[in-house]
Amino acid sequence: MSIEFIESHRCFSGALHFCRHQSEATGTPMRFSAYVPDGEGPFPVVTFLSGLTCTEENFTVKAGAYRRASALNLVVIAPDTSPRGEGVANDPAYDLGQGAGFYVDATEAPWAPHFRMESYIAKDLQQVVAENFPVDMKRQGITGHSMGGHGALTLALKYPDLFRSVSAFAPIVSPTRCPWGEKAFNAYLGADRETWKAHDATLLIEAGAAKGHYETILVDQGGADNFLEAQLKPELLEEACAKVGQKLVLRMHPGHDHSYYFIQTFIDDHLAFHAATLLAA
């Protein structure tokens, strides 16, 4: 799969690249950033999925991840959150359309032709990273924030053959039971709520999706997050994990909000968490 390097920067002991490629899944050009440490590799990979309104730049510029990634010899991939461009459906609201792909494959008009972010992350992004960077795709972790935390959890649970470790920052743990998720799923997947269940981390865990795959799931959540009670509901994830005996480390942090100040405070912990699994013999 061909790739265009838009710009590259020396960063700690490695290089940061902004990239663009044509996606078969979305039918559009897609952008992502890739941090690659010095050396021949192959290196383990951690993918970060961003939240509502974000592009590949938000995490790349704001998270402060690359000093630790360099020290741990991790490749870090940060894709855009949706297809974009002329002819791609959109909505005036911030929580639907471009910038709000929700990491699902849409089945409803006008979203279905391009909004196929699940297939993009699980297939196209896998291929373009494997073909263009010194990576070991058998040693992958996935994490994300908010909508991207939802994506990290659900894609890890649905594709355990791809991902060996999973964590999240302030994830939407049960989109079938919050306004953001209900709005997006109704638009992208239709009114039949049965079809939504395959994209809800709590329901997937209750159905046994994590069994035998992930020793521990790490989640950090800010106690001063404006979206905590109405949208994020980490207690539902805690309940689901307790029901099936899945180990969950849920860390609540008083005073922290939903911003990238929260993410940059704990990103080193998440990278170390993934490295502990991905670098293990």
Side-chain angles (χ1 to χ4, degrees):
M1 185 177 289
S2 62
I3 188 172
E4 176 187 359
F5 287 88
I6 302 168
E7 57 182 273
S8 297
H9 305 276
R10 184 73 179 159
C11 187
F12 299 106
S13 297
L16 175 64
H17 307 283
F18 285 90
C19 309
R20 179 166 50 220
H21 70 111
Q22 185 67 26
S23 166
E24 181 178 340
T26 68
T28 67
M30 293 293 295
R31 290 175 57 124
F32 66 93
S33 71
Y35 179 77
V36 184
D38 290 342
E40 296 183 3
F43 301 110
V45 182
V46 175
T47 296
F48 185 94
L49 305 182
S50 293
L52 290 167
T53 75
C54 291
T55 71
E56 77 287 350
E57 289 191 353
N58 294 74
F59 172 83
T60 306
V61 173
K62 296 180 178 181
Y66 302 128
R67 183 189 299 274
R68 190 65 170 150
S70 174
L72 293 170
N73 283 322
L74 295 174
V75 166
V76 180
I77 304 296
D80 199 353
T81 55
S82 77
R84 301 178 191 271
E86 186 177 351
V88 176
N90 201 9
D91 189 274
Y94 76 95
D95 54 357
L96 189 67
Q98 295 183 36
F102 265 85
Y103 305 101
V104 301
D105 285 353
T107 57
E108 302 298 303
W111 313 105
H114 301 295
F115 279 72
R116 299 183 54 80
M117 288 301 293
E118 177 177 339
S119 290
Y120 173 70
I121 300 297
K123 297 177 182 178
D124 289 9
L125 188 63
Q126 297 286 310
Q127 182 181 348
V128 73
V129 170
E131 292 180 357
N132 291 279
F133 299 99
V135 292
D136 181 352
M137 300 301 280
K138 294 181 179 180
R139 294 188 291 162
Q140 287 194 76
I142 189 166
T143 185
H145 172 232
S146 194
M147 178 186 72
H150 142 74
L153 292 171
T154 55
L155 294 180
L157 293 167
K158 295 178 75 172
Y159 299 94
D161 55 327
L162 295 181
F163 303 109
R164 290 178 55 185
S165 57
V166 57
S167 71
F169 295 84
I172 303 170
V173 304
S174 187
T176 64
R177 289 177 281 183
C178 77
W180 277 340
E182 290 176 324
K183 178 180 179 178
F185 284 7
N186 187 68
Y188 297 146
L189 304 175
D192 183 0
R193 296 178 71 97
E194 284 297 308
T195 66
W196 301 5
K197 293 181 178 180
H199 308 284
D200 184 307
T202 62
L203 300 181
L204 288 169
I205 287 171
E206 288 177 1
K211 187 175 181 180
H213 298 300
Y214 301 106
E215 179 180 349
T216 304
I217 298 171
L218 172 64
V219 172
D220 278 314
Q221 173 63 60
D225 191 319
N226 291 338
F227 305 112
L228 179 59
E229 294 184 6
Q231 305 283 8
L232 307 178
K233 305 182 180 182
E235 69 278 2
L236 297 179
L237 181 65
E238 196 168 34
E239 292 168 5
C241 288
K243 283 182 182 179
V244 299
Q246 170 63 47
K247 184 178 179 181
L248 169 70
V249 175
L250 173 59
R251 307 192 304 182
M252 298 295 298
H253 302 283
H256 282 276
D257 57 22
H258 200 68
S259 71
Y260 269 84
Y261 298 112
F262 164 61
I263 295 173
Q264 64 184 244
T265 303
F266 300 105
I267 189 64
D268 284 6
D269 292 352
H270 282 248
L271 293 176
F273 168 80
H274 288 280
T277 295
L278 303 180
L279 297 173

